[in-house]
Amino acid sequence: MILDKIHTEKMFLYYSEKVALKDISIKIPEKRVTAFIGPSGCGKSTFLRSLNRMNDLIDGVKIEGKVMIDNINIYDKNIDVVNLRKKVGMVFQKSNPFAKSIYENIAYGPKINGINDKKQLEEIVETALKNAAIWDEVKDRLGDSALGLSGGQQQRLCIARTLAVNPEIVLMDEPASALDPLSTSKIEELIVQLKEHYTIVIVTHNMQQAARISDNTAFFYLGELIEYDKTKTIFTNPSKKQTEDYITGRFG
């Protein structure tokens, strides 16, 4: 039985007075890949960032409705945002490794969370790098600067860094958009592997990518959730004309 990991009810998001997201109600299943697609500026990244309260960092943002993870409203006043972001990791469009060694990039999060035992840290680093499918490429150069890695390797390092604090959900905002085709296919293979252990939510402007790797797809347009269904249904038999027009390239 597939359980819902995330669900929102009648969620609105405002930038000051401007409505950026309107009446979003969605159920995102556990240990599946859910893709958000839609034209630029349609609200998909804004919605993604609302799932770990990254929008809190922007002045004037106000949220109404419910955003539930494991049936707990993450916007309740008593929610510890630091713990939330440990549980809900984030991988950004542009890889952003720290100007530290490969090892220190991965060990950073666990250290902040109070893990200082050298052997335990070494195990965490190795496991995270293996889970991000980059261990074999970097195991002999853990002391080297992460900035010396290629773009695709840096992005997998950032995924490993996210995994090192043991999240349950991994949000990815166009994680392969800056990468070449070979690196992109490695990231895609990795995402498919990761859903065995994590709930993955990905924003992508690449519809072929959504079709290849996601189980469910949500189509956003002008701040509204137009359609949400199994990926195969969205791409072969969408119920809304707007979805069909976007998928077939008539607009967007």
Side-chain angles (χ1 to χ4, degrees):
M1 182 179 150
I2 301 167
L3 299 172
D4 293 324
K5 187 71 175 171
I6 303 165
H7 79 270
T8 67
E9 293 173 14
K10 299 188 180 313
M11 182 237 185
F12 288 75
L13 184 142
Y14 302 86
Y15 290 121
S16 297
E17 300 304 310
K18 182 178 177 287
V19 184
L21 294 170
K22 300 173 205 162
D23 200 10
I24 309 287
S25 295
I26 191 171
K27 292 182 175 178
I28 295 174
E30 186 174 47
K31 292 183 182 169
R32 291 288 184 274
V33 178
T34 300
F36 296 166
I37 62 169
S40 294
C42 68
K44 55 190 189 292
S45 289
T46 299
F47 182 59
L48 186 80
R49 289 196 301 269
S50 69
L51 301 178
N52 71 343
R53 293 188 48 171
M54 287 294 282
N55 291 318
D56 289 16
L57 307 171
I58 302 167
D59 285 343
V61 166
K62 188 176 77 166
I63 285 185
E64 294 174 355
K66 289 182 178 173
V67 181
M68 316 285 284
I69 293 178
D70 294 331
N71 289 318
I72 293 167
N73 189 351
I74 64 169
Y75 285 88
D76 278 352
K77 288 186 169 59
N78 57 356
I79 291 293
D80 181 329
V81 178
V82 173
N83 279 341
L84 171 70
R85 291 189 188 136
K86 203 167 100 179
K87 181 175 179 170
V88 188
M90 183 109 185
V91 177
F92 296 93
Q93 180 173 1
K94 191 173 183 321
S95 57
N96 56 346
F98 305 136
K100 297 173 181 282
S101 70
I102 292 167
Y103 176 91
E104 283 299 333
N105 263 270
I106 309 302
Y108 180 82
K111 281 181 178 176
I112 280 185
N113 290 312
I115 296 171
N116 290 306
D117 180 71
K118 188 166 180 285
K119 190 168 186 307
Q120 192 180 357
L121 283 170
E122 284 172 359
E123 284 172 5
I124 289 169
V125 169
E126 181 173 341
T127 301
L129 290 167
K130 280 180 174 171
N131 287 343
I134 191 174
W135 170 250
D136 288 340
E137 294 163 54
V138 301
K139 63 185 179 190
D140 299 324
R141 48 196 280 217
L142 295 177
D144 294 359
S145 170
L147 302 179
L149 297 172
S150 72
Q153 288 174 323
Q154 285 188 10
Q155 192 61 303
R156 279 181 287 143
L157 181 79
C158 291
I159 293 171
R161 191 174 68 195
T162 300
L163 301 181
V165 295
N166 209 15
E168 294 173 25
I169 298 167
V170 180
L171 309 177
M172 297 186 170
D173 195 354
E174 302 201 14
S177 66
L179 303 178
D180 62 81
L182 185 63
S183 298
T184 296
S185 79
K186 283 188 174 170
I187 296 282
E188 289 182 4
E189 283 170 28
L190 174 57
I191 290 167
V192 172
Q193 289 165 14
L194 289 175
K195 75 175 181 183
E196 287 181 31
H197 304 287
Y198 308 93
T199 302
I200 311 278
V201 188
I202 177 171
V203 164
T204 178
H205 68 278
N206 181 331
M207 284 189 283
Q208 289 79 17
Q209 183 174 77
R212 281 193 297 267
I213 66 170
S214 69
D215 300 284
N216 298 323
T217 296
F219 169 54
F220 287 82
Y221 185 62
L222 296 179
E224 294 185 53
L225 175 59
I226 304 298
E227 188 167 355
Y228 175 56
D229 211 325
K230 296 259 185 301
T231 296
K232 191 173 178 193
T233 305
I234 290 283
F235 281 95
T236 58
N237 190 25
S239 62
K240 300 277 173 67
K241 185 172 188 308
Q242 267 176 305
T243 313
E244 187 181 343
D245 287 349
Y246 183 69
I247 300 249
T248 54
R250 289 195 194 109
F251 80 90

